[in-house]
Amino acid sequence: MGPAGGPPLKPPVLPLSLSQREVWRDRAAWPDSAHLMIGGAAFLSGPLDVARCGAALELLVQENDGLRLAPLPDGGQRLLSHWVPQLEQVDVPPGIEPRAAMDDWWRKGLAASFPFDGTPPWRFALLHVGDQLHGLAIQFHHVVMDGWGTSQVMTRWSEIYNQLDAGLEFVPRAGPSYAQFIEESNLYAQSEAFGRDAQFWHARVPQLPPPLIERRFADGQRHGPARAHMATCALARAEFDALAQAAAAQGLSAFNFFLAALALYFGRIAGRSRVLVGVPTLNRGGRRFRHTPGMFVGVLVLDIDVDPQHTAAALLASVSAAMRAALRRPRYPLSELGRALQLIRTGRDSLFDVILSFEQQNFDVHFGAARLVDSRQLFSGIARYPLGVTVCEFQPDKDLELVLEASSDCFTAPEVPLLAQRLWQLARRLA
């Protein structure tokens, strides 16, 4: 109740963090598009207590304010003091392959996009394939959650379930809240550090380069991102580990080799000596917000020197230097740089045409006797950029996946799996 027995007080309205503002602007440009839907899934084998699963989910939501944020159409958001989540129950008919059932649930969720109506924009589902196989699926609007946060949600959900399963009293986890990140993010926007970061980024990308990938099949009548042609290339664990070991011997990471392969490939195709590639960054203040669910991620734009006279070692050194410099300034919003370069006036959607992500989720979770047998990232099938490339490593003892989301404005469907194979081969050749 409100003061003196009046109507209940409305939850407080919080500003968006800088990371959230980037997503909100994207949604404002294409309000009906599903490209901002993210999520993940885990398959469990063994008996699962459905009531306990729902109780653990409710405690998870109460513990984490990022799961109680309700975005508003005007760009603000309410922080709800209490929210009772609904765990959707889906019985998979006999004969239906579990992954196909998960994909069907995911597609139906995309068709029912989240309105910004004062409720948290996410949904959770429990898919039953008989009594012993279960699928846990999560779908978020990107404005309240990022990919790393999704893995933290799944991990913490299992931890709370196991506390209840063992008959222990629930103990909320200590750590900074997402509301603290919102406050710090907005203080940064008014700080001298923001001004210094602006100078760095504007000097790094002083002008807008021409498009790197040709829009060969663009539909001028469509409003919103194009459909994506999807392709998945399996990366053999032994081959990837060999690549990672070769990188470590040079003081690099496997990510550097994928980034170099992308820059080299498109530099040669387009006849460029410099290539811009987008790279998401956790942007979680080192380890401080590492386990806090929410939307933290920012996107860095790397200007990579791919001079044809370079050796492979020189290319990798260029990639490493660009990455190190950018990671020292991860908080600056990309939209500020786009505004300075008059991106919209030129009819462009982004500063770059290619984005590379590395999704690493060490899902060693169990819900009581129900043990993890598989986990996966779920993709919207909508192309925000001409080409999105994601390296997915979900279990340390299994093969990885190289997933390409290629815009149908720029690629035909048969081209995409061939491109995935070429990039993987090129990354290995560079090592």
Side-chain angles (χ1 to χ4, degrees):
M1 298 292 288
L9 295 174
K10 285 187 176 182
V13 175
L14 302 180
L16 301 175
S17 70
L18 294 184
S19 299
Q20 289 181 298
R21 287 184 208 173
E22 299 293 89
V23 178
W24 187 86
R25 290 183 177 118
D26 211 349
R27 180 188 182 274
W30 297 308
D32 299 323
S33 174
H35 72 286
L36 293 171
M37 304 282 264
I38 68 166
F43 286 97
L44 305 168
S45 178
L48 189 69
D49 188 318
V50 176
R52 187 172 294 139
C53 216
L57 178 59
E58 185 167 352
L59 291 171
L60 173 72
V61 172
Q62 286 306 110
E63 178 185 74
N64 294 284
D65 58 356
L67 294 172
R68 289 181 278 109
L69 289 174
L72 302 171
D74 63 359
Q77 56 191 339
R78 292 194 182 279
L79 177 55
L80 308 181
S81 60
H82 184 73
W83 180 255
V84 179
Q86 300 297 313
L87 180 58
E88 183 180 345
Q89 303 283 323
V90 180
D91 290 317
V92 178
I96 302 296
E97 198 274 326
R99 280 182 175 247
M102 186 71 75
D103 289 341
D104 182 63
W105 178 86
W106 179 257
R107 285 193 299 271
K108 288 178 180 177
L110 293 177
S113 59
F114 296 111
F116 283 9
D117 61 358
T119 60
W122 46 258
R123 54 179 68 98
F124 286 62
L126 177 56
L127 285 73
H128 304 283
V129 188
D131 295 331
Q132 294 295 312
L133 185 61
H134 315 273
L136 296 177
I138 311 175
Q139 194 171 61
F140 290 100
H141 195 287
H142 202 13
V143 78
V144 296
M145 194 63 60
D146 56 27
W148 180 259
T150 300
S151 70
Q152 300 309 300
V153 165
M154 189 72 78
T155 300
R156 184 58 180 155
W157 189 8
S158 74
E159 291 173 352
I160 297 173
Y161 179 101
N162 293 329
Q163 286 183 24
L164 300 180
D165 187 52
L168 302 175
E169 182 181 356
F170 169 67
V171 179
R173 183 171 59 189
S177 68
Y178 190 74
Q180 288 176 263
F181 175 74
I182 293 174
E183 181 180 6
E184 292 180 14
S185 177
N186 283 281
L187 288 174
Y188 161 73
Q190 308 299 321
S191 70
E192 293 182 0
F194 184 90
R196 292 193 298 269
D197 291 348
Q199 290 178 354
F200 168 85
W201 284 111
H202 289 244
R204 193 76 179 180
V205 189
Q207 58 188 14
L208 186 64
L212 186 65
I213 299 176
E214 181 184 358
R215 275 70 168 170
R216 294 178 289 166
F217 317 109
D219 179 3
Q221 302 302 313
R222 187 190 65 250
H223 180 68
R227 182 172 55 90
H229 295 307
M230 306 289 299
T232 300
C233 172
L235 311 183
R237 167 56 64 178
E239 293 179 343
F240 180 84
D241 287 348
L243 176 71
Q245 289 167 9
Q250 301 177 52
L252 303 172
S253 68
F255 185 86
N256 291 123
F257 282 89
F258 284 100
L259 188 54
L262 270 172
L264 177 58
Y265 182 86
F266 284 102
R268 293 295 173 87
I269 291 294
R272 305 280 178 82
S273 60
R274 305 196 74 84
V275 171
L276 295 186
V277 179
V279 174
T281 174
L282 289 181
N283 190 30
R284 286 175 174 259
R287 302 187 65 86
R288 184 160 172 257
F289 289 100
R290 187 170 181 83
H291 298 297
T292 305
M295 172 53 191
F296 293 82
V297 73
V299 179
L300 310 175
V301 55
L302 303 186
D303 179 23
I304 300 173
D305 184 359
V306 286
D307 189 317
Q309 303 304 315
H310 274 178
T311 63
L315 171 61
L316 288 163
S318 173
V319 166
S320 179
M323 195 72 197
R324 286 197 309 270
L327 285 173
R328 287 195 289 268
R329 301 162 181 86
R331 296 187 290 176
Y332 189 71
L334 202 61
S335 63
E336 294 291 325
L337 187 56
R339 187 177 299 112
L341 296 177
Q342 300 184 335
L343 193 65
I344 295 177
R345 186 171 294 181
T346 62
R348 302 271 290 279
D349 297 330
S350 177
L351 295 171
F352 50 83
D353 288 350
V354 180
I355 187 167
L356 173 64
S357 306
F358 204 118
E359 295 293 337
Q360 194 172 28
Q361 300 176 355
N362 189 14
F363 269 147
D364 186 18
V365 301
H366 67 95
F367 285 69
R371 300 282 169 169
L372 179 75
V373 293
D374 189 21
S375 64
R376 59 188 306 210
Q377 181 174 346
L378 302 175
F379 295 86
S380 70
I382 307 295
R384 172 62 180 88
Y385 303 97
L387 181 65
V389 180
T390 306
V391 181
C392 298
E393 183 180 22
F394 291 154
Q395 279 89 41
D397 58 343
K398 293 187 178 181
D399 291 346
L400 292 80
E401 292 181 343
L402 181 65
V403 180
L404 267 60
E405 301 170 277
S407 170
S408 57
D409 283 352
C410 307
F411 297 90
T412 64
E415 290 176 311
V416 186
L418 294 176
L419 176 58
Q421 292 287 349
R422 289 173 188 149
L423 293 173
W424 175 223
Q425 182 181 17
L426 185 53
R428 284 181 291 161
R429 290 292 297 273
L430 284 170

